Amino acid sequence: MPETTAHVTAAEISRIAGVTRATVSNWRRRHDDFPAPSGGTDTSPLYDLGAVRTWLGSRGHTQVADPREELRTAVRFQASDPDRTTGRIGFVLTLARSSPDQAAALADLADAELVARAAEEVAELLTSLPGPTPASPLFSASDGPTLRALLRCVREVGGPAALAVLAERELEDSAATGVYGTPEPLAQLVAELLPAGVARVLDPACGSGALLAAAAGRGAITLLGQDSVPVQAQRAAVGLSLAAPRAEGTVRIGDSLRADAFGGLTADAVVCNPPYGDRDWGHDQLAYDPRWAYGVPGRAESELAWVQHCLAHLVPGGWAVLILPPAPASRPSGRRVRAELVRSGAVRGVLALPAGAAPPLHVGLQLWVLQRPEPGGPERKSVLFVDTAGAPAPGAGDQTTGSPRTGSSRTPIDWAGLTARTLAHWEAFTADPDGFAAEPGTARAVPVVDLLDELVDLTPARQVRISRTDVDPVELSTRTETGRRELTEAARSLLDAADLTGWTAPGGSAREWRTATASDLARGGALTLLRTVPDAKGPEPEPDGAASATAAPVLTGADIARGTGPTGDPAELRSAAPAPVIAVGDVLVRAIAGGTGPMARVADEGDAGALLGPQVHLLRPDPARLDSWFLAGFVGSAENVAGASTGSTVLHVAPGRLRVPLLPLDEQRRYGEAFRHVHELRARARQAARLAEETAALLTGGLTGGALLPTRTTASVDTGPA
């Protein structure tokens, strides 16, 4: 088995110790016993991770790095080895099932003892993991620090987070393309589109197992999964054991299209987020495959191959929900297959999601809802189309732009609202397809005969577009006038907020001050750091009659970014301990950096009583020592957040590393009032921008649709000399 000593850079040492890069440089110069470089170059030296930890411990420096980043660092510099990864994934299952006392006992073991215990525990689990049993030893003597980092990650962040880091390392060397993860809110929506009571659910491209876990949450008791990437299949097997311990799970490794591990099996439901744009899906080898009951998919139509594969695994009347890119709905090469799917009644609905709902974030994905035709079953005369991508979200006036990517103008996804609207349309359609009441521009049940034209275009935006007959000119005129008045009032309010007279420069240079980290302030009692710790095992089921509807809402990172009140669903809050309850004056900081919108805000009466979401840090200041708005303004600054963030693609904010100026309370309050004014300016700008967009859209639609006439003006006409 390849052995590589774990190394870290100076930047990673600073993240582990919770100090700046400059501090690490000072340590190197001033302390002769600081570990010497063991690799790298003169300009970019690398240090032995174990030696660094020992040195930090001898100096009393507490490690404050995010547990995921620490685990990522521990595995990054070791050679990729599938057997070793298998062992670590198995150890995650052992750790997640351990009680707090058992986990603490493992943490107290010496490295050699920890390696031996891990090898012993994992050996008993290997038969339950997909793939052949590893022939080589799972762990070596050098694996102690990595297993310790894994232990900390599972204890503090949860088993799923640890599995994601382990899979990430293996996927870096994988040749798989077009494979994307499924966010939990989207997985929940997919599961809720299935009818209640489905018992056996299959996912032929299961990835991490998110869709199967969501189906288990809806009552599925038999979970079947397959994935062509071994580490994903193993991750799914362990993840399902944690998320659905009462369900019977079976996960296999292999390409479902070429080597179906469940050939001949039928399920009550199929869920799938298949690979996209795969031209090497087996077109030549599978040309005469019996699964192509609706036509042989073209080489460029791998998604339609997956659609038919899923239908072939359904019992008559069974349901399938697939997450697909928009191209299969309209690509000319798939027209004949789409026509047969529609004509047979297999396609029941196509639901468009907004861009950013799931990777790839720049694409607006679609949900295809399918039902296998039943011999002699009822005729299906229409297909439901829902365009949530173009529909305005409820409460849009409280939203701002934001995105997981810095600099993007994408609006954060309001999953609670999107899910509620989508399910409302779907339930109304399934209850009475013939009597479905269309919502112009958002939802419409289109007759099958209208779809079977020369294009067979199943793009929701084209099928739900508003026609001239859907618009009442009088109503539209009233709406535009109301919007104009609201916009005028919002513009005046914005002008008032933009009055920044009295904001002056300090002189020839910027003001400087001494600062302390939030961790230092917490140790001194000036503030308290709180967060919600996810539970790897998931929430315990509520007792019969539990009033979950009365639970407090959850405040999420997206709520902070877009300036809304708490919108999270308490049913999805998986916490190892009761989540902190937000109080007025608490400072709320997003745990994931990036995007637009504020990184921090002060909790008001609308936030009070809500539960703290897992992607939010809470700083509760002592009002006798710290002003809330002063604290929020400084910890939410871009420079401060950048210095306290770890990670590469996703930046996780370490709250203890945020720095706060040490100023007298009366001076803090002056800064606090200024930051409160900035907050008001941002909120009023959001409102004015929203109203301007809405009013402009109404006016444009009314003019182009003939429901509004331009204002008549008197113009002088130059008729030339008399």
Side-chain angles (χ1 to χ4, degrees):
M1 179 179 296
E3 295 294 343
T4 305
T5 302
H7 291 82
V8 288
T9 64
E12 289 168 330
I13 294 174
S14 70
R15 289 196 290 267
I16 291 173
V19 297
T20 64
R21 288 280 302 276
T23 300
V24 175
S25 297
N26 287 334
W27 288 345
R28 293 169 55 193
R29 291 194 300 267
R30 296 173 56 188
H31 299 287
D32 294 336
D33 60 341
F34 188 84
S38 56
T41 64
D42 291 340
T43 55
S44 299
L46 296 174
Y47 302 86
D48 180 87
L49 178 60
V52 168
R53 284 188 175 131
T54 300
W55 190 88
L56 290 173
S58 68
R59 297 280 171 172
H61 292 288
T62 303
Q63 296 187 20
V64 297
D66 184 283
R68 286 162 292 202
E69 184 65 23
E70 182 182 354
L71 177 59
R72 187 175 289 112
T73 299
V75 302
R76 184 182 302 152
F77 297 102
Q78 291 185 320
S80 177
D81 187 299
D83 289 350
R84 180 177 289 184
T85 301
T86 298
R88 293 169 182 163
I89 289 176
F91 195 42
V92 170
L93 182 58
T94 297
L95 295 173
R97 289 175 172 175
S98 301
S99 67
D101 290 341
Q102 291 171 327
L106 287 173
D108 291 337
L109 295 176
D111 283 358
E113 295 174 320
L114 180 60
V115 169
R117 178 67 65 83
E120 178 184 344
E121 296 282 352
V122 172
E124 301 176 2
L125 299 173
L126 289 179
T127 56
S128 64
L129 295 180
T133 302
S136 56
L138 294 176
F139 306 113
S140 66
S142 64
D143 280 321
T146 303
L147 294 177
R148 198 169 300 284
L150 184 61
L151 170 61
R152 182 187 172 212
C153 188
V154 173
R155 290 179 67 186
E156 297 187 22
V157 191
L163 290 172
V165 174
L166 296 177
E168 173 188 293
R169 176 65 180 88
E170 286 299 315
L171 290 173
E172 290 176 355
D173 299 325
S174 171
T177 59
V179 180
Y180 303 99
T182 307
E184 183 177 351
L186 178 55
Q188 294 293 333
L189 173 57
V190 168
E192 291 188 48
L193 288 169
L194 299 174
V198 293
R200 176 184 288 187
V201 180
L202 167 69
D203 186 345
C206 64
S208 66
L211 291 173
L212 289 174
R218 291 270 292 163
I221 57 176
T222 301
L223 309 174
L224 308 170
Q226 182 173 355
D227 201 273
S228 60
V229 182
V231 70
Q232 288 286 70
Q234 294 171 351
R235 173 188 180 185
V238 172
L240 291 175
S241 296
L242 300 178
R246 296 179 179 85
E248 177 186 352
T250 303
V251 182
R252 297 285 182 259
I253 298 174
D255 183 337
S256 293
L257 294 183
R258 288 188 175 94
D260 190 356
F262 300 101
L265 177 146
T266 55
D268 301 318
V270 177
V271 290
C272 190
N273 186 359
Y276 308 151
D278 182 11
R279 288 181 172 270
D280 187 27
W281 58 270
H283 173 267
D284 295 336
Q285 305 97 304
L286 303 173
Y288 300 101
D289 196 286
R291 287 173 291 184
W292 314 146
Y294 304 91
V296 179
R299 188 181 302 277
E301 297 294 341
S302 63
E303 296 87 0
L304 294 182
W306 283 101
V307 165
Q308 296 191 73
H309 174 82
C310 293
L311 284 168
H313 273 291
L314 287 172
V315 298
W319 292 84
V321 182
L322 283 80
I323 304 170
L324 297 177
S330 59
R331 203 157 38 202
S333 57
R335 182 184 64 83
R336 291 185 179 180
V337 174
R338 289 197 301 273
E340 289 303 316
L341 289 168
V342 171
R343 185 179 289 111
S344 68
V347 179
R348 301 303 311 279
V350 181
L351 321 173
L353 300 171
L361 298 176
H362 65 286
V363 175
L365 301 177
Q366 297 174 355
L367 300 180
W368 283 38
V369 186
L370 311 164
Q371 186 177 24
R372 181 167 180 172
E374 303 169 82
E379 181 183 4
R380 296 160 187 168
K381 301 178 181 179
S382 59
V383 176
L384 175 67
F385 292 90
V386 178
D387 182 20
T388 62
D398 297 328
Q399 295 188 12
T400 186
T401 56
S403 161
R405 296 184 177 183
T406 303
S408 172
S409 60
R410 187 179 301 123
T411 302
I413 305 300
D414 174 15
W415 279 109
L418 185 151
T419 300
R421 295 193 305 276
T422 301
L423 293 179
H425 290 308
W426 178 245
E427 290 166 2
F429 174 75
T430 53
D432 184 10
D434 296 333
F436 179 79
E439 181 180 332
T442 300
R444 182 181 170 215
V446 180
V448 167
V449 294
D450 291 348
L451 295 171
L452 296 175
D453 55 17
E454 66 277 7
L455 298 177
V456 195
D457 193 336
L458 304 185
T459 303
R462 294 190 177 97
Q463 299 298 338
V464 304
R465 60 166 59 117
I466 300 174
S467 68
R468 297 166 64 94
T469 58
D470 293 327
V471 179
D472 181 350
V474 175
E475 179 185 353
L476 181 61
S477 178
T478 301
R479 289 171 61 193
T480 54
E481 178 58 26
T482 301
R484 187 195 64 77
R485 287 198 304 268
E486 292 178 349
L487 176 58
T488 301
E489 294 172 3
R492 289 173 179 153
S493 177
L494 177 59
L495 286 174
D496 293 340
D499 181 8
L500 305 179
T501 56
W503 296 52
T504 59
S509 60
R511 182 180 182 184
E512 296 182 359
W513 38 58
R514 291 191 306 117
T515 63
T517 65
S519 291
D520 293 335
L521 294 174
R523 283 191 288 270
L527 61 80
T528 303
L529 293 171
L530 299 173
R531 67 188 180 100
T532 295
V533 181
D535 186 358
K537 300 179 183 180
E540 292 295 325
E542 293 188 4
D544 292 342
S548 59
T550 62
V554 176
L555 187 130
T556 68
D559 295 329
I560 298 174
R562 63 181 178 239
T564 65
T567 63
D569 185 355
E572 299 177 2
L573 187 64
R574 296 185 173 94
S575 176
V581 179
I582 297 171
V584 174
D586 287 344
V587 175
L588 308 166
V589 183
R590 288 159 52 194
I592 305 297
T596 56
M599 280 295 300
R601 81 171 187 223
V602 177
D604 58 16
E605 290 78 5
D607 301 321
L611 302 178
L612 188 70
Q615 297 299 331
V616 181
H617 299 300
L618 189 152
L619 285 66
R620 180 165 291 163
D622 178 356
R625 300 173 63 181
L626 281 174
D627 179 80
S628 294
W629 279 104
F630 162 81
L631 180 62
F634 277 100
V635 301
S637 71
E639 182 181 4
N640 210 347
V641 169
S645 299
T646 62
S648 53
T649 304
V650 178
L651 299 179
H652 297 273
V653 178
R657 297 181 59 194
L658 294 167
R659 307 196 73 85
V660 182
L662 300 176
L663 298 177
L665 187 58
D666 59 344
E667 193 168 1
Q668 290 183 36
R669 288 170 178 159
R670 288 200 298 272
Y671 274 95
E673 282 301 314
F675 285 127
R676 189 196 299 268
H677 190 98
V678 172
H679 173 78
E680 280 296 315
L681 175 63
R682 177 179 273 137
R684 294 179 185 181
R686 279 197 303 266
Q687 183 185 28
R690 174 188 62 86
L691 289 170
E693 287 293 335
E694 290 180 358
T695 304
L698 286 172
L699 290 170
T700 301
L703 291 169
T704 58
L708 291 178
L709 297 177
T711 302
R712 296 188 179 186
T713 59
T714 301
S716 59
V717 179
D718 185 3
T719 60

